[in-house]
Structure formats: C-alpha cells, structure tokens
Amino acid sequence: MLRPSTKARQHPDATASGRDIQEAVMVLVRPRYDAAASVFPGNDIVDEDIGEESLTVGEENSRFIFSPYDTISFCVAGLKVYIYVRKMVVDKESAYSSTPDRKGMTRHYKFNVVEKNFTRLCSSKPILTVNGQFPGPTIYAREDDTVIVKVVNHVKYNVTIHWSALSNFSHQAMSDISSNRLRPFCRHGVRQLMTGWSDGPAYITQCPIQPGQNYVYNFTLTGQRGTLWWHAHISWMRATVHGAIVILPKRGVPYPFPKPDEERVIILAEWWKSDPEAIINEALKSGLAPNVSDAHTINGHAGPLSSCPSSSLDGFSLRVDKAKTYLLRIINAALNEDLFFKVAGHRMTVVEVDACYTKPFTTDTLLITPGQTTNVLLTADRAAGRYLVSASPFMDSPLVSVDNRTGTGTVQYTNSVSTSAAITTTKPPPQNATPVASSFTDSLRSLNSKLYPAKVPLTVDHSLLFTVGLGVNPCPGCVNGSRVVADINNVSFVMPTTALLQAHYFNVSGVFTDDFPGQPPMPFNYTSSGPGNVQTMNGTRLYRLPFNASVQLVFQDTGIIGPESHPIHLHGFNFFAIGKGTGNFDHKTSPSKFNLIDPVERNTIPVPSGGWTAIRFRADNPGVWFLHCHFEVHTTWGLKMAFIVDNGKGPNQSILPPPKDLPAC
Ligand code: C2O
C-alpha cells in the first residue's frame, strides 16, 4: 500500500491553515497515558505513522481515531506539539487496492467525558465535552465496519451516548452480516440479528454510566452510509456532548453523485451562556417553558456577525478553491430549534439525508430539524470573495419563543481574498417561513435506484395514529399551580428507574406496561384548540409489535395550547415518510395521496404545525426502541414512548444477551 509521508509540524496556532499538513497521521501512545490525569492524550509518543484516513491516538489496545480538522495537542519532552489534521483521504486511488467486498474493519475510539472551560459570546463557563472538544470528535468509518467506543465518565453527572439510528449488532451476528452486507438499501436487513444494548438512550436501553465508570459501545454499520451523529442521551447534556459519524461507502464503491473534491462536517447547535442543565431544572421547577439559547453556533462558533466582537475572529470558515466541489455533511444538533441553512450566493445540491441517498435537487435554503442530517454538494463557482453562511431558526407557531439570532460563518475563496474582505451577505428566511420549510421537505425523495431501492412496506399490519402535542397538568409548587407537559395520545411518558430493555429482556414486571394506545383515546378536532380538559395521563406505557410487522404511523399535531412543528425521531429503524398534510388526518381521503414509490427514507421527520405526517417502517429489529420529539424540551415534558419489538422465531431474530459491562442503575 502506498503511504503518504508524515508531516506533523509544531505550531502554536491551532487555527493555522495547515494546508500543507498531511491528511492523516497515526500516533500511538504508550499505555502509560493516564486518561484521568489529562483531558487530552498523552504523554509519550512511541511511533508516528500514516494511517490511511485518520489520526489514531490512544492507549495501546484501545486506540481511537482523530478526525480531519481536529487539532490535537500533546507533549514531547515538555514541548507542546500541535497537529492540525487537514483532511481525510477520502478517495486516494492507492488506498483502494483492497477488494471492494472485503469485510469491514473494526475501529476503536475512546471518548473521555470531561468538563472543560469554553469562552463564547464574551463569557466563559465549563461545559461537558467528549475529549475536551466542542463539537466532539467525528467518528469515521466505512459501511460494514464495526465501531467500538469506550466511553469513560470523568464528570459528576450520569452519562449515556446515543449513536443516531445505527443498527447495533453483536459479534455473533457478524457472520450473518457479512453474508448480507451487499444489501443495498439504506439500513440493516431483516436477517441480521441486532441488539439494542449499544443504542444509548438513558433508562430505555441502558442505565446511565455513573461517574467514574465506563461502558463500551459496540455497533456495526451495516447497510448504512452517509452522515449520522452521536450525542449524549440523558437530560440536556447533548447540548455540548455531540459529534458527527461519517460513514463512507465500502472501499471501491462510489457515491451515486459526482465525486466531491473535499468533504466537510458542519454541526449546527445552540449555545447558552448559563448551564443548560440549570435551565431545564429551573423550567421544571416553575412549570414554564425554559429560556431560549443565547446563540446558534456553526461548528461551535456564533460567528462573524454575533454580538460579541471577539466571536467575529473565530467563526466557522469553509475555505474553498475556485471550481472545486465540496460535500458538506450538515447536522442539526440544536436542542430545541429547527434551522434554515444558507450560503450567500450559492446553491446546494441535496444528495443524502439521515444516511440515505436522495434524488439530487438544488436549493438555496435547507431546513434541518434537530436530529436530522443533510449532505449537500456545493461548488465554488462564484467570484472570489467571502460569502456568509447562516443558520437561523424556523418556528411558525407565534406562541413559541425561539432564539432569533442567526449563527454565522463564511465561505472563503482561498488565495484570492483576504480574511478581512467584505462579506457577501444573505438574508435568512423569515422565522415563520412555512412555505420555505415545506417546499424543502416536499422536495425530498429517496434515490430509489437499482442499487439503492426504496423498500417501502406496501401492506400494513399495524395502523397507528399518534397525536403529538402539549397539555397542562396540575403542579401545586409551580408558578401558575400547573405545568406545561407534552404527550403522545394523551400519555405523558414517565421515565422508569430501570432500563426498559433490561426489564423486557429479563422479564422484570412492574417497570412498564405494554398498553400504549395505538389510537387517540378520545378523538377530538385535533387541530382546533382542543377539548376543555387538556390534562394528560402519566405512564410508562409501551406499544408491542411482533417481529417483522409492517407499521404505518400517522403523527397528528394538536392545537392544545398551540399548534407546533415536532421533529419526531424513531430509534432502531429508518422509516419512509409517505405523506403529510395540513389539518386533521382523514382515514378515508388522506391515504390516496401517499407516495409508496420513492418517499424519502430517514430517521427523524417534522410533523408540520397544525398538520400530520405519515410514515411506514418494518419492525425487523427486536428490542425496545425509543420514539420521541427531538426538541429536547418536548422530550423532557413527556413527548416520548417506546416500541417493544418481540423476538422472531428464526435463528437470528432474538435479542442477544447484554454485554457484561452494561451499567447498572
Ligand atoms: Cu438523537 Cu433519542 O435521539
């Protein structure tokens, strides 16, 4: 195999351009490295070597991989050394000499959950991070690879990490996977045996990792390629504990779109000047809505147009070369806000969402809800200059307040303009631009090619209607004597204190019931202001599905308190978004407009404000799978439930035993 040369260089400035620094460097660290002593690795560098596509640093036998664009610092003989990883080799011909259908490899990562001080918006505070980074490290892998992440909790809070919509497999299932690995559709196949023990939502599939403890997440990326992400899945910790998962196609398998010259991960998020945990705790005490964030960030920065002058110096900047095409892997990690994304003067071609290829279409504005990812191609085809990148909120419910500040960054044409040249700006869509949002959503279609067909279930075994919305419950200690809650089919979900998957697997009774209503218990005119009584029921109720059942699920927004869009996320499955509409779903007329040919396949879908969205999926993944609004405030308020998918009768259709290090509650 051809190996490029190492060019790690010392420089004190982490943001130095580093364009001449080699893409990928592997550094092995001696086991003497003490994870508890330092946030960031390490002490002794034993060896430097070029990895094929990423920088590997870590303990012996437990390496982890750094991502392109990360800055890594470590000490050699008391001297601080920085390596700026410029980019990953995504398509070096020489790296593709192995056969395209080889088995996936195993990639090890180590995630130290640590507190670190960050300064944003002219003020500093400690935040929770993985490996001291915000956003956290990117996981790079290829389709079919197994990813093993050791998560070590160095902070005082309980922690869990969720690996967005990944199928989770055991080692035993690997042989099965390999025989199936050319299955071309966007997710795991029926014959593959899965375990949810690595899925991550606290008290759903696992008890949290307690302070000082660790847990090894182990999952295989079968039948998925594209951009996903990982995030803490407990309380509001995901505000800063999140990062990208980049799954490249198998070696030798091209993208189904023109090959980009370079790739870049872009993570949108929200920043609070105070501690997000304090914000939600305060809100729960008062019974009122939590404070909105103080900024939207693009790769961790509010950017050049933010209110804090020094923020303007460190905003996100995408350096582009004239005429080159860039694949942008954009993730909305914001807690509570749908975001529009624009690049001044440029159009983008959408090619993939939630790790499923789409029919390409061009647009100047993306809508990305929390939980969703969108891959676009952007060609640097404009006059040399600097162009504004904007991330601005979408909220078409006048009752709900959002952070109306626009997160900004720049696209900067290299070698032609100075970094202080005037920025060509763009106007973000108005906050309530429903037509912009729905025209984007309506443009999404599965690629549905021969290699990547849309396998939409054409028959339905379980037809469900879930109302999603808000309610008001009594709360003697609260400000108004009541609290705002959220629910599905009038059930505000109560988190158990034992993980549901364990309770299910070990037949522990008294933890949950499996009587979640498949239809609204009391039908009403959903999109009007609602019935007189807007109190909800509390319960840890699950909906049981037999293995391999095909499910049609209509989410119906309610007007209780006020209509509002909800980004609904389903764990464990991809689904097809077969239809949406305004007003109430009509069993007789609405289905006639369903798209069963090439509906977009994804794992998170917005239910329009005052409207409905219909999805279909096949329950071919035994386990307990969380379904919730990806607005963290609504999840906290109870807009969540879980499906139990029973084991099948076949040899590889049962949940496997839990790993030995599964945390105890
Ligand atoms: Cu991205 Cu249950 O979460």
Side-chain angles (χ1 to χ4, degrees):
M1 183 191 0
L2 202 92
R3 298 193 135 177
S5 68
T6 306
K7 279 190 223 156
R9 75 173 182 192
Q10 298 174 356
H11 63 77
D13 177 9
T15 58
S17 88
R19 289 185 72 79
D20 56 337
I21 292 180
Q22 191 41 255
E23 295 89 336
V25 186
M26 188 168 79
V27 180
L28 298 175
V29 178
R30 281 234 167 91
R32 254 196 284 159
Y33 160 57
D34 176 10
S38 76
V39 168
F40 227 58
N43 297 321
D44 284 337
I45 298 162
V46 182
D47 187 17
E48 283 193 7
D49 196 1
I50 290 294
E52 277 171 28
E53 51 201 33
S54 36
L55 179 70
T56 307
V57 177
E59 291 168 307
E60 225 168 46
N61 307 322
S62 168
R63 294 194 229 153
F64 59 98
I65 300 173
F66 286 100
S67 327
Y69 310 107
D70 287 343
T71 302
I72 295 104
S73 70
F74 43 86
C75 292
V76 190
L79 222 169
K80 203 149 204 202
V81 177
Y82 294 88
I83 295 181
Y84 180 63
V85 186
R86 167 70 185 130
K87 65 168 185 182
M88 179 170 63
V89 182
V90 276
D91 199 9
K92 252 204 159 69
E93 281 357 299
S94 60
Y96 288 85
S97 51
S98 42
T99 52
D101 61 348
R102 84 206 163 101
K103 264 192 168 175
M105 61 184 279
T106 301
R107 299 181 188 254
H108 296 264
Y109 287 79
K110 188 166 177 199
F111 277 19
N112 286 308
V113 180
V114 292
E115 214 172 57
K116 197 183 171 195
N117 270 316
F118 274 74
T119 304
R120 292 290 184 273
L121 309 177
C122 297
S123 76
S124 296
K125 63 164 183 171
I127 62 167
L128 300 177
T129 69
V130 165
N131 299 347
Q133 294 168 260
F134 170 69
T138 302
I139 287 183
Y140 284 91
R142 281 184 193 282
E143 182 180 345
D144 281 355
D145 286 350
T146 296
V147 177
I148 295 179
V149 190
K150 182 176 185 183
V151 177
V152 187
N153 182 1
H154 299 281
V155 298
K156 57 179 192 272
Y157 305 96
N158 286 340
V159 172
T160 72
I161 308 274
H162 166 50
W163 317 92
S164 164
L166 300 170
S167 333
N168 301 295
F169 295 82
S170 74
H171 317 283
Q172 286 117 295
M174 286 307 293
S175 56
D176 194 41
I177 287 161
S178 62
S179 66
N180 229 347
R181 72 186 178 284
L182 290 173
R183 285 185 84 107
F185 53 97
C186 276
R187 62 188 190 80
H188 48 265
V190 172
R191 287 182 49 237
Q192 298 159 1
L193 183 55
M194 290 144 246
T195 81
W197 304 109
S198 286
D199 187 40
Y203 302 107
I204 306 295
T205 59
Q206 68 165 100
C207 299
I209 309 167
Q210 287 167 20
Q213 304 295 303
N214 53 62
Y215 180 45
V216 177
Y217 291 89
N218 180 340
F219 48 84
T220 297
L221 302 162
T222 300
Q224 285 182 300
R225 80 298 291 169
T227 309
L228 292 172
W229 62 300
W230 56 265
H231 62 76
H233 210 308
I234 182 164
S235 190
W236 278 26
M237 207 178 278
R238 77 173 175 85
T240 53
V241 180
H242 60 242
I245 303 174
V246 171
I247 312 165
L248 298 168
K250 285 183 284 241
R251 259 176 221 295
V253 176
Y255 292 128
F257 45 81
K259 195 183 98 184
D261 295 291
E262 287 187 33
E263 306 198 356
R264 189 97 186 237
V265 168
I266 297 179
I267 303 185
L268 314 177
E270 286 177 274
W271 184 269
W272 277 263
K273 283 186 183 167
S274 49
D275 176 9
E277 292 301 313
I279 302 261
I280 185 57
N281 288 339
E282 193 45 47
L284 287 176
K285 238 189 257 156
S286 69
L288 305 172
N291 290 348
V292 299
S293 56
D294 297 301
H296 291 110
T297 56
I298 303 179
N299 283 2
H301 294 280
L305 299 192
S306 90
S307 53
C308 165
S310 71
S311 292
S312 63
L313 300 174
D314 54 16
F316 162 79
S317 178
L318 173 68
R319 297 168 64 89
V320 297
D321 294 327
K322 180 94 184 152
K324 280 193 177 168
T325 296
Y326 297 80
L327 178 67
L328 308 182
R329 301 172 173 273
I330 310 161
I331 296 163
N332 184 353
L335 288 195
N336 295 321
E337 289 169 16
D338 296 341
L339 292 169
F340 289 123
F341 181 87
K342 288 184 84 167
V343 179
H346 292 75
R347 289 177 70 80
M348 297 166 278
T349 304
V350 177
V351 292
E352 181 231 297
V353 295
D354 296 0
C356 296
Y357 293 133
T358 62
K359 288 197 173 71
F361 70 97
T362 59
T363 177
D364 61 1
T365 309
L366 311 178
L367 173 74
I368 314 181
T369 78
Q372 294 184 327
T373 68
T374 305
N375 281 12
V376 300
L377 296 171
L378 177 135
T379 300
D381 56 3
R382 298 302 303 267
R386 293 172 81 205
Y387 295 86
L388 191 75
V389 176
S390 71
S392 65
F394 164 57
M395 169 51 71
D396 58 355
S397 176
L399 290 173
V400 184
S401 46
V402 290
D403 172 4
N404 61 9
R405 299 164 193 89
T406 299
T408 53
T410 54
V411 163
Q412 158 119 23
Y413 283 64
T414 50
N415 305 328
S416 50
V417 272
S418 83
T419 49
S420 56
I423 299 174
T424 304
T425 56
T426 177
K427 239 188 151 174
Q431 189 176 298
N432 61 357
T434 312
V436 179
S438 49
S439 107
F440 179 82
T441 308
D442 294 346
S443 303
L444 291 166
R445 294 272 183 286
S446 277
L447 180 58
N448 195 27
S449 65
K450 211 171 175 184
L451 268 177
Y452 304 99
K455 301 224 164 175
V456 190
L458 297 178
T459 57
V460 173
D461 303 323
H462 287 246
S463 182
L464 312 175
L465 178 65
F466 284 6
T467 59
V468 292
L470 305 180
V472 181
N473 284 354
C475 172
C478 292
V479 173
N480 299 326
S482 63
R483 67 164 68 253
V484 183
V485 295
D487 65 275
I488 303 177
N489 276 350
N490 212 39
V491 181
S492 291
F493 191 85
V494 176
M495 284 311 244
T497 48
T498 307
L500 298 173
L501 184 59
Q502 277 159 290
H504 168 56
Y505 185 84
F506 293 109
N507 274 318
V508 183
S509 61
V511 178
F512 64 84
T513 54
D514 63 1
D515 60 348
F516 188 89
Q519 303 295 325
M522 230 198 24
F524 61 98
N525 179 3
Y526 305 114
T527 45
S528 76
S529 60
N533 179 357
V534 293
Q535 199 173 323
T536 66
M537 299 178 279
N538 294 323
T540 308
R541 298 165 70 178
L542 277 58
Y543 191 91
R544 189 180 288 277
L545 290 165
F547 180 78
N548 216 27
S550 79
V551 182
Q552 176 174 302
L553 176 45
V554 177
F555 298 105
Q556 171 71 59
D557 184 36
T558 77
I560 296 176
I561 299 189
E564 188 177 350
S565 163
H566 297 277
I568 304 289
H569 172 50
L570 175 60
H571 287 234
F573 307 93
N574 285 343
F575 52 72
F576 292 94
I578 56 171
K580 84 186 227 286
T582 49
N584 295 334
F585 177 78
D586 184 322
H587 284 282
K588 289 200 194 79
T589 57
S590 302
S592 65
K593 292 188 213 82
F594 283 172
N595 173 5
L596 302 177
I597 310 289
D598 62 352
V600 69
E601 180 176 357
R602 58 188 325 168
N603 63 52
T604 306
I605 188 84
V607 178
S609 178
W612 56 270
T613 289
I615 65 167
R616 280 191 190 175
F617 66 96
R618 187 166 292 283
D620 54 5
N621 193 357
V624 175
W625 303 107
F626 206 18
L627 175 133
H628 60 91
C629 180
H630 221 291
F631 286 157
E632 214 51 50
V633 55
H634 292 168
T635 308
T636 307
W637 282 346
L639 209 168
K640 53 196 171 187
M641 57 81 69
F643 287 102
I644 312 176
V645 177
D646 283 329
N647 290 336
K649 294 207 172 58
N652 285 324
Q653 298 174 348
S654 296
I655 310 170
L656 285 158
K660 290 204 174 57
D661 60 342
L662 187 73
C665 279

